[in-house]
Amino acid sequence: MPSLTRDEARQRAQLISVQRMEVDLDLDRGSEHFGSTARITFSCSAPGGSTFLDLHAVSCERIELNGIRIDPDTVTEGRLTLTDLAADNVVEVTATMAYSRDGQGLHRSTDPADGEDYVYGHLFLDAAPKVFACFDQPDLKAPYAVSVRAPQAWVVLGNGRATRTAPGRWELSETLPLATYFVTVCAGPYVSVHDEHDGIPLGIHARRSLQRELELHGPQMFEVTKQSFDHYHRTFDVRYPFGDYDQVFVPEFNAGAMENPGCVTFRDPMLFRGAATREQVLQRSNTIAHEMAHMWFGDLVTMRWWDDLWLNESFAEFMAYTATSRATEFTDSWVEFGISRKQWGYAAERAPSTHPVAGSPAPDAQSALANFDGISYAKGASVLRQLVAHIGEEAFNAGVTAYLRSHEHGNGELSEFLAAMEEVHGSSLADWSAAWLETAGVDAIALDRDGILTRTAPQEHPADRPHALDVAGFTGGAEVFRTSLTLDAPQVSVDGVQRDAAVLLPNAGDLTWAQVDLDAESLAALPRELAQVQDPVARSVMWGAVLTGVFRGTVDPAVALDVVTAAWPHERDDALMSRVALAVTDRIVPQFLPADRAADAKARLAEAALAAFDDAEPGSDRALVAARVLAATTTDEQRLEAWVSGRDLPQGLEHDSDFRWIVLQTMARLGLADERRIAAVEADDTTLSGRLSGLAARAARPGIQDKEWAWAQISGNRERSNYELNALASGFWSSGSVEDLRPYAARYVADIPRLTEWVGADALDRVATLAFPSRIVEPETVDLVRAAMDRPDVTSGVRRSMADELSKLEEALASRSRWS
Ligand SMILES: [Zn+2]
């Protein structure tokens, strides 16, 4: 199917506007197909003209334009041409559609825990025509009146309030104007909890087998929802417009969540069934606040075309962290932003695929998918923090309110947003926008012992970015100075720098977007100094400097491991603990260290985890993170055997299935879990999570035959869902010798692009990332992947996944040749 181009969208929006969408779905036709009737009322500005409708159906039963039948066979490549339009038109299409297994369109899956089926609609980014006929582009918004027929035992939810009008018949109240990609219907025997706040009815929903988790976590999620509503109403000065606010936890969801107005969908592993650390609850709270911010940025005002994606994502990211840090118990949420989100964004900046925050070309809808990355989210949010520092918070909020009010229920773009900001600021933001929004790249900043602060833009992306930031110094944990300034030249001299401080730290408040180069003295001091620093934001910047230093090749991985083994066991923030450990186990050890040094490094991390575990208060977040890292890294067979059998388990993890799977996966990697063992653990956990973990464990076994089985499942079993493919791919590369795995680099480039025949782009991009031969750190892998990226059969999404993973592999190769 061709992807809609920007030019086609522009022409269509000039010609037509949609007044009303009526959609009737029949979800009671078995597990493969559903019925769909769409009745579209639209006007045409040039009567007699022609346009096309988007429709991806299994079969099309009836098409009628203004009462005249059209032959369904004229639908080609997902498009139906409509000719001889009147000023006012009605087109009606009745079709049979297919449920999906890849999380795009109307996804249907069976819960293994009880055999119940669940359906949810995820129409982002261009999957709406897989559910109903429509003009699928973000600036043809219309009110939706949706009705649904479903099995009688099912509950139906959607953007409008759902009312059961007869057994198995549901009507959803007509919505405000929505972009096509925001429409959703969730149906199945969902269970619910309800609340209300400030006149807004609230509901949270999940699969029936997750009722206990829903009831356990519901109160905390309602609390964050209410706090965020109050915060956004104060900040935006525009009321939430979409009626009831439902949050639905759905199975096998590709992203974290989706901001469907009034009916947000979330990946349901976020309804933690076992122990959850504060960081995990913080992340979920941020996701809740992020989707709520979209009700204004995205839903009320939608970007005109996908090239202004940042108007959705950068804002939602910025607003969410602002909301959680100010209005919820997670006052320190920017720490997690620094070590998790910004690290993701910096990696995206270092890749050749980096792009400006705003105005990245999206010549067609599918190419925009590539920009849902760390640039659009983490950099965009950081840049908005810089804008607040530049013009002041009061002006920023006033500009936001003006922008929302003047574009509500319509669309906006960069120039209109900047105009609103300039109006309140009183002067031009053109230079600021050019440097921060319209130029790619991240500066490196360094502070030397003479107090000279240096800013270096990447050669490929020259820029003149003004940074509002703090620099600070630390000795023995005490902050010995801190200076706030604007770095608006390649070099400035900073007042108040104490040259004998043990650690000099540029960007100590983590306010700006820049990679930090520590001076040699500071780096050498980190093993003894880092954990003593009281301010978690400053520690986050130090940890980040060490990690990005390794990735950029400026820090020897051996030095980074010295910092980790000395300071990590004493880290007090569980977000910093878990993120640093993940970077070491998932990237530094397997990629940056040659095989003969990797085992030793992993053993040192396991020792550090044991030290932290022994030191932590039993049952605390620190103990929990340390136990998980220990379970993932230890080679102590006795401990693994005891834990998997339910003996001597850490406090709080006594009946924790997810922890048990971490243990079993480690055993699988070490060759200590055969099929009988895995099946036995699976028999104790018949949930969807259990089934996925079982697949990951099977793929994690190191034997050649195990790997061959797993690869065949990934590359050839068309029945595998998106989540099953992810589980298999992540298990696959987690074990085995480089010698045994080397042939799969060639298999990757041969097999993975073909999955596009049966896996949607959204899901496939993730599979292409997880299945990438990241452990074969050899020049031959680079050659193989480069050759594949030129092939015409490789889709833009897969090419982008390949490019990003290749960039990481090349970082590892460069580091090895420098430091090994
Ligand atoms: Zn978002």
Side-chain angles (χ1 to χ4, degrees):
M1 304 278 181
S3 179
L4 184 75
T5 69
R6 180 175 40 194
D7 290 340
E8 287 169 334
R10 203 174 278 158
Q11 284 166 18
R12 193 158 65 171
Q14 274 166 9
L15 188 70
I16 63 163
S17 53
V18 185
Q19 272 74 52
R20 188 160 189 260
M21 294 286 297
E22 290 160 78
V23 176
D24 183 62
L25 300 176
D26 183 358
L27 308 183
D28 200 9
R29 289 197 196 169
S31 61
E32 297 292 314
H33 298 133
F34 61 96
S36 165
T37 298
R39 188 169 190 275
I40 306 169
T41 310
F42 67 102
S43 59
C44 173
S45 62
S50 65
T51 187
F52 61 93
L53 199 61
D54 301 295
L55 174 64
H56 300 177
V58 175
S59 63
C60 187
E61 278 74 58
R62 195 177 63 89
I63 304 169
E64 222 176 87
L65 173 65
N66 299 330
I68 299 166
R69 293 290 279 259
I70 297 176
D71 180 1
D73 287 345
T74 60
V75 178
T76 45
E77 299 220 280
R79 292 181 178 185
L80 168 68
T81 303
L82 302 176
T83 55
D84 198 20
L85 295 174
D88 298 301
N89 304 272
V90 175
V91 62
E92 197 167 317
V93 178
T94 301
T96 299
M97 311 296 219
Y99 291 111
S100 74
R101 287 286 284 140
D102 61 7
Q104 295 173 245
L106 211 52
H107 180 96
R108 181 164 179 143
S109 64
T110 304
D111 187 342
D114 55 13
E116 295 286 359
D117 275 19
Y118 292 87
V119 165
Y120 64 87
H122 184 61
L123 274 47
F124 168 87
L125 167 136
D126 57 1
K130 293 170 76 178
V131 182
F132 49 83
C134 57
F135 300 107
D136 189 25
Q137 62 187 70
D139 59 345
L140 285 176
K141 292 168 113 177
Y144 279 74
V146 177
S147 55
V148 178
R149 195 170 87 90
Q152 289 194 16
W154 284 18
V155 174
V156 172
L157 299 155
N159 306 92
R161 179 182 292 178
T163 308
R164 202 165 77 129
T165 53
R169 279 302 315 185
W170 296 76
E171 302 277 343
L172 279 68
S173 61
E174 184 160 330
T175 67
L176 291 166
L178 306 182
T180 40
Y181 77 101
F182 288 139
V183 178
T184 191
V185 164
C186 302
Y190 284 100
V191 289
S192 309
V193 290
H194 294 281
D195 204 335
E196 186 269 345
H197 181 68
D198 193 12
I200 304 166
L202 307 174
I204 309 180
H205 318 268
R207 283 180 281 140
R208 186 183 286 165
S209 63
L210 293 170
Q211 177 147 19
R212 190 186 67 85
E213 289 79 1
L214 178 66
E215 283 167 5
L216 189 68
H217 294 283
Q220 191 274 335
M221 296 192 288
F222 278 134
E223 187 184 12
V224 169
T225 305
K226 295 172 185 180
Q227 290 166 328
S228 301
F229 264 129
D230 289 346
H231 175 80
Y232 291 139
H233 282 146
R234 274 195 304 270
T235 305
F236 298 145
D237 200 18
V238 174
R239 240 190 104 75
Y240 166 73
F242 295 108
D244 298 9
Y245 194 72
D246 286 304
Q247 300 178 85
V248 193
F249 287 80
V250 300
E252 302 186 310
F253 193 77
N254 282 323
M258 176 68 204
E259 65 268 24
N260 311 300
C263 190
V264 176
T265 41
F266 291 79
R267 58 163 56 227
D268 64 16
M270 280 194 202
L271 271 184
F272 315 115
R273 57 182 186 152
T277 60
R278 185 172 178 281
E279 185 212 359
Q280 289 174 285
V281 182
L282 180 157
Q283 277 183 32
R284 183 178 65 199
S285 302
N286 253 315
T287 306
I288 289 171
H290 177 111
E291 305 312 320
M292 292 178 70
H294 274 312
M295 296 300 131
W296 288 265
F297 275 95
D299 298 3
L300 180 65
V301 182
T302 309
M303 80 234 135
R304 186 153 291 127
W305 179 248
W306 297 103
D307 50 3
D308 268 320
L309 169 70
W310 77 286
L311 280 172
N312 287 12
E313 295 309 341
S314 307
F315 274 85
E317 179 101 345
F318 168 77
M319 296 295 175
Y321 280 94
T322 305
T324 48
S325 67
R326 297 212 181 146
T328 76
E329 67 181 286
F330 302 107
T331 52
D332 57 345
S333 63
W334 289 107
V335 174
E336 191 266 346
F337 178 75
I339 200 64
S340 160
R341 309 294 280 186
K342 286 177 92 168
Q343 289 292 318
W344 175 43
Y346 292 146
E349 285 272 41
R350 294 193 304 270
S353 57
T354 188
H355 56 88
V357 170
S360 299
D364 63 36
Q366 275 300 320
S367 65
L369 204 53
N371 292 339
F372 281 80
D373 61 9
I375 309 280
S376 298
Y377 288 76
K379 183 181 184 180
S382 301
V383 168
L384 289 172
R385 291 184 91 186
Q386 286 291 310
L387 181 58
V388 171
H390 186 61
I391 69 173
E393 183 161 3
E394 210 173 308
F396 178 82
N397 287 345
V400 163
T401 301
Y403 171 76
L404 289 173
R405 288 206 175 136
S406 56
H407 296 85
E408 61 182 0
H409 302 303
N411 298 78
E413 56 190 37
L414 171 64
S415 59
E416 292 160 335
F417 172 76
L418 282 180
M421 286 292 159
E422 285 171 341
E423 175 82 29
V424 291
H425 178 48
S427 65
S428 168
L429 290 169
D431 290 345
W432 183 91
S433 172
W436 277 115
L437 287 173
E438 297 162 63
T439 306
V442 57
D443 294 338
I445 51 173
L447 178 65
D448 72 14
R449 296 267 152 187
D450 296 323
I452 304 298
L453 185 63
T454 307
R455 169 194 89 182
T456 313
Q459 274 176 356
E460 319 81 75
H461 303 286
D464 180 14
R465 282 177 278 258
H467 296 262
L469 79 171
D470 287 0
V471 296
F474 300 87
T475 303
E479 185 173 301
V480 293
F481 74 89
R482 181 176 286 251
T483 306
S484 300
L485 71 154
T486 301
L487 172 61
D488 52 6
Q491 279 200 336
V492 299
S493 177
V494 181
D495 294 337
V497 170
Q498 295 190 18
R499 58 182 308 151
D500 57 348
V503 178
L504 294 182
L505 188 63
N507 199 26
D510 205 16
L511 188 58
T512 196
W513 181 255
Q515 297 185 128
V516 167
D517 280 321
L518 294 174
D519 66 293
E521 219 173 300
S522 297
L523 188 61
L526 280 191
R528 66 168 194 279
E529 291 284 335
L530 198 163
Q532 297 188 60
V533 172
Q534 295 300 309
D535 175 11
V537 173
R539 292 204 306 280
S540 167
V541 176
M542 293 178 191
W543 281 123
V546 172
L547 299 177
T548 54
V550 171
F551 304 149
R552 294 163 61 213
T554 56
V555 172
D556 183 345
V559 170
L561 279 171
D562 289 343
V563 179
V564 170
T565 45
W568 186 87
H570 308 289
E571 178 52 62
R572 301 176 290 292
D573 184 284
D574 65 313
L576 295 176
M577 270 183 96
S578 68
R579 292 293 164 170
V580 170
L582 194 68
V584 174
T585 55
D586 278 22
R587 183 126 195 255
I588 294 180
V589 169
Q591 278 204 316
F592 286 74
L593 298 176
D596 55 335
R597 283 171 54 204
D600 174 58
K602 219 166 170 182
R604 287 175 67 193
L605 189 65
E607 266 173 52
L610 185 59
F613 180 66
D614 287 341
D615 178 59
E617 188 187 324
S620 66
D621 288 330
R622 272 189 76 210
L624 208 54
V625 177
R628 286 174 182 164
V629 176
L630 181 58
T633 52
T634 187
T635 53
D636 179 345
E637 288 184 35
Q638 276 188 337
R639 183 186 294 276
L640 290 166
E641 194 60 56
W643 280 356
V644 84
S645 311
R647 286 180 280 115
D648 306 328
L649 281 160
Q651 188 179 320
L653 293 169
E654 290 88 351
H655 304 286
D656 194 304
S657 302
D658 291 329
F659 184 72
R660 195 180 187 204
W661 281 113
I662 296 175
V663 175
L664 189 74
Q665 265 157 29
T666 302
M667 295 177 75
R669 285 197 296 274
L670 296 171
L672 302 171
D674 58 11
E675 173 58 32
R676 204 173 47 87
R677 192 75 186 252
I678 296 170
V681 174
E682 219 170 27
D684 290 343
D685 181 12
T686 57
T687 65
L688 181 57
S689 302
R691 193 172 66 190
L692 296 166
S693 299
L695 281 175
R698 287 183 178 89
R701 293 172 300 181
I704 294 178
Q705 281 168 353
D706 301 316
K707 294 301 177 197
E708 189 49 37
W709 170 83
W711 194 262
Q713 291 298 312
I714 296 166
S715 62
N717 185 343
R718 296 185 178 217
E719 300 300 311
R720 291 294 181 197
S721 73
N722 52 345
Y723 270 37
E724 290 172 344
L725 292 171
N726 294 345
L728 287 159
S730 57
F732 183 90
W733 288 105
S734 71
S735 69
S737 70
V738 170
E739 286 65 39
D740 286 350
L741 294 174
R742 189 174 285 120
Y744 291 94
R747 301 275 295 274
Y748 171 85
V749 296
D751 295 343
I752 296 300
R754 282 193 299 107
L755 267 67
T756 189
E757 287 170 32
W758 65 94
V759 180
D762 225 2
L764 182 53
D765 296 356
R766 181 95 188 118
V767 178
T769 299
L770 290 171
F772 188 88
S774 55
R775 281 191 55 213
I776 315 301
V777 185
E778 299 169 353
E780 292 75 14
T781 312
V782 178
D783 297 340
L784 268 174
V785 176
R786 278 208 190 292
M789 284 166 59
D790 290 335
R791 277 171 19 209
D793 63 313
V794 174
T795 59
S796 62
V798 171
R799 187 177 299 120
R800 171 67 188 266
S801 297
M802 285 179 169
D804 289 353
E805 292 310 300
L806 185 63
S807 151
K808 293 182 191 166
L809 190 91
E810 289 181 308
E811 287 185 341
L813 272 171
S815 170
R816 284 192 190 193
S817 76
R818 174 161 184 194
W819 300 108
S820 283

